PDB file of all heavy atoms in Angstrom:
ATOM      1  N   PHE C   1      -7.548  -1.512   7.380  1.00 77.00           N
ATOM      2  CA  PHE C   1      -6.691  -1.569   8.626  1.00 77.00           C
ATOM      3  C   PHE C   1      -7.035  -0.422   9.528  1.00 77.00           C
ATOM      4  O   PHE C   1      -7.043   0.788   9.098  1.00 77.00           O
ATOM      5  CB  PHE C   1      -5.222  -1.473   8.196  1.00 77.00           C
ATOM      6  CG  PHE C   1      -4.776  -2.684   7.347  1.00 77.00           C
ATOM      7  CD1 PHE C   1      -4.747  -2.547   5.924  1.00 77.00           C
ATOM      8  CD2 PHE C   1      -4.279  -3.737   7.929  1.00 77.00           C
ATOM      9  CE1 PHE C   1      -4.258  -3.664   5.209  1.00 77.00           C
ATOM     10  CE2 PHE C   1      -3.794  -4.848   7.215  1.00 77.00           C
ATOM     11  CZ  PHE C   1      -3.783  -4.740   5.812  1.00 77.00           C
ATOM     12  N   LEU C   2      -7.501  -0.720  10.654  1.00 77.00           N
ATOM     13  CA  LEU C   2      -7.840   0.317  11.662  1.00 77.00           C
ATOM     14  C   LEU C   2      -6.649   0.467  12.555  1.00 77.00           C
ATOM     15  O   LEU C   2      -6.315  -0.404  13.367  1.00 77.00           O
ATOM     16  CB  LEU C   2      -9.095  -0.098  12.411  1.00 77.00           C
ATOM     17  CG  LEU C   2     -10.308  -0.371  11.558  1.00 77.00           C
ATOM     18  CD1 LEU C   2     -11.535  -0.791  12.448  1.00 77.00           C
ATOM     19  CD2 LEU C   2     -10.733   0.935  10.787  1.00 77.00           C
ATOM     20  N   ILE C   3      -6.006   1.682  12.542  1.00 76.00           N
ATOM     21  CA  ILE C   3      -4.796   1.917  13.369  1.00 76.00           C
ATOM     22  C   ILE C   3      -5.068   3.215  14.209  1.00 76.00           C
ATOM     23  O   ILE C   3      -5.932   4.023  13.859  1.00 76.00           O
ATOM     24  CB  ILE C   3      -3.587   2.158  12.403  1.00 76.00           C
ATOM     25  CG1 ILE C   3      -3.386   0.913  11.527  1.00 76.00           C
ATOM     26  CG2 ILE C   3      -2.344   2.360  13.228  1.00 76.00           C
ATOM     27  CD1 ILE C   3      -2.302   1.100  10.487  1.00 76.00           C
ATOM     28  N   GLY C   4      -4.417   3.229  15.355  1.00 76.00           N
ATOM     29  CA  GLY C   4      -4.633   4.374  16.280  1.00 76.00           C
ATOM     30  C   GLY C   4      -4.136   5.699  15.727  1.00 76.00           C
ATOM     31  O   GLY C   4      -4.103   5.925  14.456  1.00 76.00           O
ATOM     32  N   ASP C   5      -3.844   6.653  16.605  1.00 78.00           N
ATOM     33  CA  ASP C   5      -3.519   7.971  16.197  1.00 78.00           C
ATOM     34  C   ASP C   5      -2.200   8.086  15.393  1.00 78.00           C
ATOM     35  O   ASP C   5      -2.045   8.997  14.623  1.00 78.00           O
ATOM     36  CB  ASP C   5      -3.348   8.917  17.417  1.00 78.00           C
ATOM     37  CG  ASP C   5      -4.660   9.023  18.141  1.00 78.00           C
ATOM     38  OD1 ASP C   5      -5.693   8.845  17.515  1.00 78.00           O
ATOM     39  OD2 ASP C   5      -4.705   9.299  19.380  1.00 78.00           O
ATOM     40  N   PHE C   6      -1.344   7.103  15.541  1.00 79.00           N
ATOM     41  CA  PHE C   6      -0.013   7.160  14.865  1.00 79.00           C
ATOM     42  C   PHE C   6       0.436   5.793  14.441  1.00 79.00           C
ATOM     43  O   PHE C   6       0.274   4.862  15.192  1.00 79.00           O
ATOM     44  CB  PHE C   6       0.991   7.817  15.797  1.00 79.00           C
ATOM     45  CG  PHE C   6       2.437   7.873  15.193  1.00 79.00           C
ATOM     46  CD1 PHE C   6       2.721   8.832  14.304  1.00 79.00           C
ATOM     47  CD2 PHE C   6       3.379   6.925  15.561  1.00 79.00           C
ATOM     48  CE1 PHE C   6       4.023   8.828  13.726  1.00 79.00           C
ATOM     49  CE2 PHE C   6       4.672   6.925  15.073  1.00 79.00           C
ATOM     50  CZ  PHE C   6       4.977   7.913  14.088  1.00 79.00           C
ATOM     51  N   ALA C   7       0.965   5.696  13.252  1.00 78.00           N
ATOM     52  CA  ALA C   7       1.458   4.438  12.727  1.00 78.00           C
ATOM     53  C   ALA C   7       2.815   4.726  12.001  1.00 78.00           C
ATOM     54  O   ALA C   7       2.853   5.732  11.273  1.00 78.00           O
ATOM     55  CB  ALA C   7       0.485   3.765  11.853  1.00 78.00           C
ATOM     56  N   GLU C   8       3.666   3.845  12.229  1.00 81.00           N
ATOM     57  CA  GLU C   8       5.041   3.960  11.541  1.00 81.00           C
ATOM     58  C   GLU C   8       5.429   2.580  11.020  1.00 81.00           C
ATOM     59  O   GLU C   8       5.391   1.591  11.783  1.00 81.00           O
ATOM     60  CB  GLU C   8       6.117   4.466  12.512  1.00 81.00           C
ATOM     61  CG  GLU C   8       7.435   4.623  11.954  1.00 81.00           C
ATOM     62  CD  GLU C   8       8.461   5.242  12.880  1.00 81.00           C
ATOM     63  OE1 GLU C   8       8.021   6.007  13.765  1.00 81.00           O
ATOM     64  OE2 GLU C   8       9.637   4.945  12.703  1.00 81.00           O
ATOM     65  N   ILE C   9       5.821   2.502   9.750  1.00 82.00           N
ATOM     66  CA  ILE C   9       6.299   1.283   9.214  1.00 82.00           C
ATOM     67  C   ILE C   9       7.754   1.394   8.811  1.00 82.00           C
ATOM     68  O   ILE C   9       8.140   2.354   8.046  1.00 82.00           O
ATOM     69  CB  ILE C   9       5.481   0.906   7.930  1.00 82.00           C
ATOM     70  CG1 ILE C   9       4.048   0.784   8.283  1.00 82.00           C
ATOM     71  CG2 ILE C   9       5.949  -0.361   7.321  1.00 82.00           C
ATOM     72  CD1 ILE C   9       3.088   0.527   7.081  1.00 82.00           C
ATOM     73  N   ASN C  10       8.584   0.531   9.344  1.00 83.00           N
ATOM     74  CA  ASN C  10      10.004   0.595   9.043  1.00 83.00           C
ATOM     75  C   ASN C  10      10.408  -0.655   8.274  1.00 83.00           C
ATOM     76  O   ASN C  10      10.065  -1.799   8.701  1.00 83.00           O
ATOM     77  CB  ASN C  10      10.805   0.671  10.312  1.00 83.00           C
ATOM     78  CG  ASN C  10      10.617   1.936  11.023  1.00 83.00           C
ATOM     79  OD1 ASN C  10      10.602   3.052  10.460  1.00 83.00           O
ATOM     80  ND2 ASN C  10      10.225   1.842  12.317  1.00 83.00           N
ATOM     81  N   PHE C  11      11.116  -0.549   7.071  1.00 81.00           N
ATOM     82  CA  PHE C  11      11.573  -1.628   6.366  1.00 81.00           C
ATOM     83  C   PHE C  11      13.062  -1.744   6.551  1.00 81.00           C
ATOM     84  O   PHE C  11      13.837  -0.837   6.282  1.00 81.00           O
ATOM     85  CB  PHE C  11      11.257  -1.463   4.885  1.00 81.00           C
ATOM     86  CG  PHE C  11       9.751  -1.377   4.619  1.00 81.00           C
ATOM     87  CD1 PHE C  11       9.177  -0.212   4.423  1.00 81.00           C
ATOM     88  CD2 PHE C  11       8.963  -2.539   4.485  1.00 81.00           C
ATOM     89  CE1 PHE C  11       7.825  -0.095   4.159  1.00 81.00           C
ATOM     90  CE2 PHE C  11       7.650  -2.456   4.239  1.00 81.00           C
ATOM     91  CZ  PHE C  11       7.054  -1.205   4.022  1.00 81.00           C
ATOM     92  N   ARG C  12      13.525  -2.902   6.983  1.00 80.00           N
ATOM     93  CA  ARG C  12      14.978  -3.083   7.176  1.00 80.00           C
ATOM     94  C   ARG C  12      15.638  -3.143   5.854  1.00 80.00           C
ATOM     95  O   ARG C  12      16.882  -2.798   5.771  1.00 80.00           O
ATOM     96  CB  ARG C  12      15.167  -4.389   7.915  1.00 80.00           C
ATOM     97  CG  ARG C  12      14.651  -4.401   9.330  1.00 80.00           C
ATOM     98  CD  ARG C  12      14.877  -5.757  10.077  1.00 80.00           C
ATOM     99  NE  ARG C  12      16.328  -6.042  10.119  1.00 80.00           N
ATOM    100  CZ  ARG C  12      16.828  -7.162  10.606  1.00 80.00           C
ATOM    101  NH1 ARG C  12      16.003  -8.069  11.076  1.00 80.00           N
ATOM    102  NH2 ARG C  12      18.062  -7.355  10.710  1.00 80.00           N
ATOM    103  N   GLU C  13      15.028  -3.563   4.810  1.00 82.00           N
ATOM    104  CA  GLU C  13      15.604  -3.640   3.488  1.00 82.00           C
ATOM    105  C   GLU C  13      14.635  -3.011   2.524  1.00 82.00           C
ATOM    106  O   GLU C  13      13.913  -2.135   2.874  1.00 82.00           O
ATOM    107  CB  GLU C  13      15.935  -5.134   3.110  1.00 82.00           C
ATOM    108  CG  GLU C  13      16.809  -5.920   4.064  1.00 82.00           C
ATOM    109  CD  GLU C  13      18.245  -5.325   4.091  1.00 82.00           C
ATOM    110  OE1 GLU C  13      18.642  -4.601   3.191  1.00 82.00           O
ATOM    111  OE2 GLU C  13      18.990  -5.574   5.136  1.00 82.00           O
ATOM    112  N   SER C  14      14.727  -3.375   1.255  1.00 82.00           N
ATOM    113  CA  SER C  14      13.753  -2.781   0.251  1.00 82.00           C
ATOM    114  C   SER C  14      12.374  -3.289   0.489  1.00 82.00           C
ATOM    115  O   SER C  14      12.092  -4.290   1.117  1.00 82.00           O
ATOM    116  CB  SER C  14      14.288  -3.276  -1.154  1.00 82.00           C
ATOM    117  OG  SER C  14      14.245  -4.651  -1.292  1.00 82.00           O
ATOM    118  N   ALA C  15      11.400  -2.574  -0.057  1.00 80.00           N
ATOM    119  CA  ALA C  15       9.986  -2.887   0.024  1.00 80.00           C
ATOM    120  C   ALA C  15       9.310  -2.541  -1.246  1.00 80.00           C
ATOM    121  O   ALA C  15       9.701  -1.672  -2.032  1.00 80.00           O
ATOM    122  CB  ALA C  15       9.424  -2.120   1.300  1.00 80.00           C
ATOM    123  N   ALA C  16       8.168  -3.243  -1.493  1.00 78.00           N
ATOM    124  CA  ALA C  16       7.406  -2.998  -2.726  1.00 78.00           C
ATOM    125  C   ALA C  16       5.921  -3.189  -2.421  1.00 78.00           C
ATOM    126  O   ALA C  16       5.487  -4.045  -1.702  1.00 78.00           O
ATOM    127  CB  ALA C  16       7.859  -3.946  -3.869  1.00 78.00           C
ATOM    128  N   ILE C  17       5.122  -2.395  -3.163  1.00 75.00           N
ATOM    129  CA  ILE C  17       3.634  -2.559  -3.208  1.00 75.00           C
ATOM    130  C   ILE C  17       3.272  -2.794  -4.627  1.00 75.00           C
ATOM    131  O   ILE C  17       3.505  -1.997  -5.511  1.00 75.00           O
ATOM    132  CB  ILE C  17       2.911  -1.362  -2.617  1.00 75.00           C
ATOM    133  CG1 ILE C  17       3.301  -1.077  -1.201  1.00 75.00           C
ATOM    134  CG2 ILE C  17       1.433  -1.496  -2.875  1.00 75.00           C
ATOM    135  CD1 ILE C  17       2.677   0.152  -0.625  1.00 75.00           C
ATOM    136  N   THR C  18       2.644  -4.007  -4.865  1.00 75.00           N
ATOM    137  CA  THR C  18       2.230  -4.350  -6.184  1.00 75.00           C
ATOM    138  C   THR C  18       0.762  -4.131  -6.416  1.00 75.00           C
ATOM    139  O   THR C  18      -0.052  -4.517  -5.612  1.00 75.00           O
ATOM    140  CB  THR C  18       2.539  -5.867  -6.464  1.00 75.00           C
ATOM    141  OG1 THR C  18       3.944  -6.079  -6.293  1.00 75.00           O
ATOM    142  CG2 THR C  18       2.167  -6.244  -7.823  1.00 75.00           C
ATOM    143  N   ILE C  19       0.518  -3.338  -7.444  1.00 72.00           N
ATOM    144  CA  ILE C  19      -0.901  -3.000  -7.837  1.00 72.00           C
ATOM    145  C   ILE C  19      -1.310  -3.824  -9.016  1.00 72.00           C
ATOM    146  O   ILE C  19      -0.537  -3.869 -10.050  1.00 72.00           O
ATOM    147  CB  ILE C  19      -1.074  -1.475  -8.087  1.00 72.00           C
ATOM    148  CG1 ILE C  19      -0.562  -0.695  -6.951  1.00 72.00           C
ATOM    149  CG2 ILE C  19      -2.497  -1.156  -8.460  1.00 72.00           C
ATOM    150  CD1 ILE C  19      -0.502   0.780  -7.188  1.00 72.00           C
ATOM    151  N   ASP C  20      -2.440  -4.473  -9.009  1.00 67.00           N
ATOM    152  CA  ASP C  20      -2.913  -5.298 -10.065  1.00 67.00           C
ATOM    153  C   ASP C  20      -1.898  -6.353 -10.424  1.00 67.00           C
ATOM    154  O   ASP C  20      -1.375  -6.494 -11.470  1.00 67.00           O
ATOM    155  CB  ASP C  20      -3.246  -4.474 -11.341  1.00 67.00           C
ATOM    156  CG  ASP C  20      -3.983  -5.274 -12.437  1.00 67.00           C
ATOM    157  OD1 ASP C  20      -4.509  -6.326 -12.064  1.00 67.00           O
ATOM    158  OD2 ASP C  20      -3.818  -4.917 -13.642  1.00 67.00           O
ATOM    159  N   SER C  21      -1.590  -7.212  -9.410  1.00 65.00           N
ATOM    160  CA  SER C  21      -0.517  -8.227  -9.599  1.00 65.00           C
ATOM    161  C   SER C  21      -0.771  -9.277 -10.685  1.00 65.00           C
ATOM    162  O   SER C  21       0.106  -9.776 -11.241  1.00 65.00           O
ATOM    163  CB  SER C  21      -0.303  -9.020  -8.230  1.00 65.00           C
ATOM    164  OG  SER C  21      -1.473  -9.607  -7.787  1.00 65.00           O
ATOM    165  N   ASP C  22      -2.100  -9.492 -10.992  1.00 65.00           N
ATOM    166  CA  ASP C  22      -2.479 -10.399 -12.036  1.00 65.00           C
ATOM    167  C   ASP C  22      -2.545  -9.743 -13.377  1.00 65.00           C
ATOM    168  O   ASP C  22      -2.834 -10.347 -14.420  1.00 65.00           O
ATOM    169  CB  ASP C  22      -3.783 -11.184 -11.750  1.00 65.00           C
ATOM    170  CG  ASP C  22      -4.957 -10.239 -11.368  1.00 65.00           C
ATOM    171  OD1 ASP C  22      -4.691  -9.046 -11.491  1.00 65.00           O
ATOM    172  OD2 ASP C  22      -6.039 -10.755 -10.971  1.00 65.00           O
ATOM    173  N   ASN C  23      -2.335  -8.360 -13.363  1.00 67.00           N
ATOM    174  CA  ASN C  23      -2.283  -7.571 -14.699  1.00 67.00           C
ATOM    175  C   ASN C  23      -3.546  -7.795 -15.492  1.00 67.00           C
ATOM    176  O   ASN C  23      -3.304  -7.927 -16.789  1.00 67.00           O
ATOM    177  CB  ASN C  23      -0.962  -7.984 -15.421  1.00 67.00           C
ATOM    178  CG  ASN C  23      -0.576  -6.947 -16.437  1.00 67.00           C
ATOM    179  OD1 ASN C  23      -0.813  -5.760 -16.222  1.00 67.00           O
ATOM    180  ND2 ASN C  23       0.101  -7.372 -17.491  1.00 67.00           N
ATOM    181  N   ASN C  24      -4.673  -7.797 -14.954  1.00 66.00           N
ATOM    182  CA  ASN C  24      -5.839  -8.006 -15.798  1.00 66.00           C
ATOM    183  C   ASN C  24      -6.810  -6.783 -15.698  1.00 66.00           C
ATOM    184  O   ASN C  24      -7.949  -6.879 -16.132  1.00 66.00           O
ATOM    185  CB  ASN C  24      -6.581  -9.236 -15.321  1.00 66.00           C
ATOM    186  CG  ASN C  24      -7.237  -9.137 -13.873  1.00 66.00           C
ATOM    187  OD1 ASN C  24      -6.807  -8.181 -13.200  1.00 66.00           O
ATOM    188  ND2 ASN C  24      -7.960 -10.123 -13.518  1.00 66.00           N
ATOM    189  N   GLN C  25      -6.320  -5.683 -15.089  1.00 65.00           N
ATOM    190  CA  GLN C  25      -7.200  -4.500 -15.030  1.00 65.00           C
ATOM    191  C   GLN C  25      -6.368  -3.298 -15.582  1.00 65.00           C
ATOM    192  O   GLN C  25      -5.095  -3.251 -15.541  1.00 65.00           O
ATOM    193  CB  GLN C  25      -7.638  -4.182 -13.634  1.00 65.00           C
ATOM    194  CG  GLN C  25      -8.484  -5.325 -13.054  1.00 65.00           C
ATOM    195  CD  GLN C  25      -9.884  -5.400 -13.647  1.00 65.00           C
ATOM    196  OE1 GLN C  25     -10.352  -4.354 -14.197  1.00 65.00           O
ATOM    197  NE2 GLN C  25     -10.564  -6.493 -13.522  1.00 65.00           N
ATOM    198  N   SER C  26      -7.065  -2.236 -15.982  1.00 67.00           N
ATOM    199  CA  SER C  26      -6.357  -1.058 -16.500  1.00 67.00           C
ATOM    200  C   SER C  26      -6.599   0.193 -15.673  1.00 67.00           C
ATOM    201  O   SER C  26      -6.136   1.272 -16.005  1.00 67.00           O
ATOM    202  CB  SER C  26      -6.781  -0.763 -17.967  1.00 67.00           C
ATOM    203  OG  SER C  26      -8.220  -0.568 -17.949  1.00 67.00           O
ATOM    204  N   SER C  27      -7.378   0.002 -14.599  1.00 70.00           N
ATOM    205  CA  SER C  27      -7.687   1.134 -13.738  1.00 70.00           C
ATOM    206  C   SER C  27      -7.363   0.954 -12.249  1.00 70.00           C
ATOM    207  O   SER C  27      -7.979   1.626 -11.399  1.00 70.00           O
ATOM    208  CB  SER C  27      -9.231   1.431 -13.885  1.00 70.00           C
ATOM    209  OG  SER C  27      -9.955   0.400 -13.547  1.00 70.00           O
ATOM    210  N   ARG C  28      -6.512   0.082 -11.910  1.00 76.00           N
ATOM    211  CA  ARG C  28      -6.178  -0.188 -10.533  1.00 76.00           C
ATOM    212  C   ARG C  28      -5.246   0.896 -10.064  1.00 76.00           C
ATOM    213  O   ARG C  28      -4.444   1.451 -10.870  1.00 76.00           O
ATOM    214  CB  ARG C  28      -5.571  -1.535 -10.390  1.00 76.00           C
ATOM    215  CG  ARG C  28      -6.355  -2.711 -10.727  1.00 76.00           C
ATOM    216  CD  ARG C  28      -7.647  -2.717  -9.968  1.00 76.00           C
ATOM    217  NE  ARG C  28      -8.441  -3.945 -10.177  1.00 76.00           N
ATOM    218  CZ  ARG C  28      -9.730  -4.038  -9.867  1.00 76.00           C
ATOM    219  NH1 ARG C  28     -10.336  -3.058  -9.343  1.00 76.00           N
ATOM    220  NH2 ARG C  28     -10.291  -5.193  -9.970  1.00 76.00           N
ATOM    221  N   ASN C  29      -5.313   1.314  -8.820  1.00 80.00           N
ATOM    222  CA  ASN C  29      -4.427   2.287  -8.326  1.00 80.00           C
ATOM    223  C   ASN C  29      -4.274   2.205  -6.823  1.00 80.00           C
ATOM    224  O   ASN C  29      -4.955   1.447  -6.145  1.00 80.00           O
ATOM    225  CB  ASN C  29      -5.118   3.701  -8.623  1.00 80.00           C
ATOM    226  CG  ASN C  29      -6.478   3.846  -7.902  1.00 80.00           C
ATOM    227  OD1 ASN C  29      -6.605   4.098  -6.686  1.00 80.00           O
ATOM    228  ND2 ASN C  29      -7.481   3.723  -8.730  1.00 80.00           N
ATOM    229  N   PHE C  30      -3.199   2.953  -6.389  1.00 82.00           N
ATOM    230  CA  PHE C  30      -2.854   3.029  -4.949  1.00 82.00           C
ATOM    231  C   PHE C  30      -3.130   4.450  -4.493  1.00 82.00           C
ATOM    232  O   PHE C  30      -2.638   5.370  -5.124  1.00 82.00           O
ATOM    233  CB  PHE C  30      -1.402   2.585  -4.718  1.00 82.00           C
ATOM    234  CG  PHE C  30      -0.924   2.830  -3.327  1.00 82.00           C
ATOM    235  CD1 PHE C  30      -1.250   1.945  -2.324  1.00 82.00           C
ATOM    236  CD2 PHE C  30      -0.138   3.937  -3.061  1.00 82.00           C
ATOM    237  CE1 PHE C  30      -0.773   2.178  -1.035  1.00 82.00           C
ATOM    238  CE2 PHE C  30       0.337   4.163  -1.719  1.00 82.00           C
ATOM    239  CZ  PHE C  30      -0.059   3.306  -0.736  1.00 82.00           C
ATOM    240  N   GLN C  31      -3.873   4.583  -3.370  1.00 84.00           N
ATOM    241  CA  GLN C  31      -4.213   5.962  -2.905  1.00 84.00           C
ATOM    242  C   GLN C  31      -3.828   6.143  -1.423  1.00 84.00           C
ATOM    243  O   GLN C  31      -3.924   5.207  -0.659  1.00 84.00           O
ATOM    244  CB  GLN C  31      -5.723   6.282  -3.125  1.00 84.00           C
ATOM    245  CG  GLN C  31      -6.197   6.274  -4.541  1.00 84.00           C
ATOM    246  CD  GLN C  31      -7.641   6.683  -4.695  1.00 84.00           C
ATOM    247  OE1 GLN C  31      -8.019   7.642  -4.037  1.00 84.00           O
ATOM    248  NE2 GLN C  31      -8.387   5.915  -5.474  1.00 84.00           N
ATOM    249  N   ILE C  32      -3.524   7.354  -1.092  1.00 85.00           N
ATOM    250  CA  ILE C  32      -3.409   7.828   0.260  1.00 85.00           C
ATOM    251  C   ILE C  32      -4.525   8.867   0.478  1.00 85.00           C
ATOM    252  O   ILE C  32      -4.637   9.854  -0.334  1.00 85.00           O
ATOM    253  CB  ILE C  32      -2.049   8.447   0.558  1.00 85.00           C
ATOM    254  CG1 ILE C  32      -0.913   7.361   0.351  1.00 85.00           C
ATOM    255  CG2 ILE C  32      -2.001   9.027   1.937  1.00 85.00           C
ATOM    256  CD1 ILE C  32       0.475   7.995   0.554  1.00 85.00           C
ATOM    257  N   LYS C  33      -5.398   8.600   1.426  1.00 84.00           N
ATOM    258  CA  LYS C  33      -6.549   9.472   1.699  1.00 84.00           C
ATOM    259  C   LYS C  33      -6.490  10.076   3.073  1.00 84.00           C
ATOM    260  O   LYS C  33      -5.826   9.564   3.967  1.00 84.00           O
ATOM    261  CB  LYS C  33      -7.830   8.659   1.536  1.00 84.00           C
ATOM    262  CG  LYS C  33      -8.052   8.054   0.134  1.00 84.00           C
ATOM    263  CD  LYS C  33      -9.399   7.324   0.041  1.00 84.00           C
ATOM    264  CE  LYS C  33      -9.697   6.773  -1.361  1.00 84.00           C
ATOM    265  NZ  LYS C  33     -10.967   6.103  -1.440  1.00 84.00           N
ATOM    266  N   ASP C  34      -7.276  11.190   3.159  1.00 83.00           N
ATOM    267  CA  ASP C  34      -7.366  11.737   4.525  1.00 83.00           C
ATOM    268  C   ASP C  34      -8.539  11.224   5.323  1.00 83.00           C
ATOM    269  O   ASP C  34      -9.178  10.268   4.815  1.00 83.00           O
ATOM    270  CB  ASP C  34      -7.531  13.304   4.346  1.00 83.00           C
ATOM    271  CG  ASP C  34      -8.791  13.733   3.618  1.00 83.00           C
ATOM    272  OD1 ASP C  34      -9.756  12.876   3.474  1.00 83.00           O
ATOM    273  OD2 ASP C  34      -8.794  14.976   3.199  1.00 83.00           O
TER     274      ASP C  34
END
């Protein structure tokens, strides 16, 4: 995702990020990078 200088995400209710949704890997991860 290519976003400009600033990005803001607002969730009106609850939110979830699912990693390895098919549950077939042991090394999946979620990262925040510079």
Side-chain angles (χ1 to χ4, degrees):
F1 295 94
L2 301 178
I3 304 175
D5 295 336
F6 176 78
E8 180 177 334
I9 301 176
N10 295 310
F11 298 98
R12 295 179 60 184
E13 303 294 342
S14 59
I17 297 176
T18 301
I19 303 170
D20 189 22
S21 61
D22 53 5
N23 199 31
N24 66 350
Q25 299 288 338
S26 59
S27 60
R28 299 304 189 196
N29 61 78
F30 172 77
Q31 296 186 46
I32 297 177
K33 297 182 178 181
D34 62 17

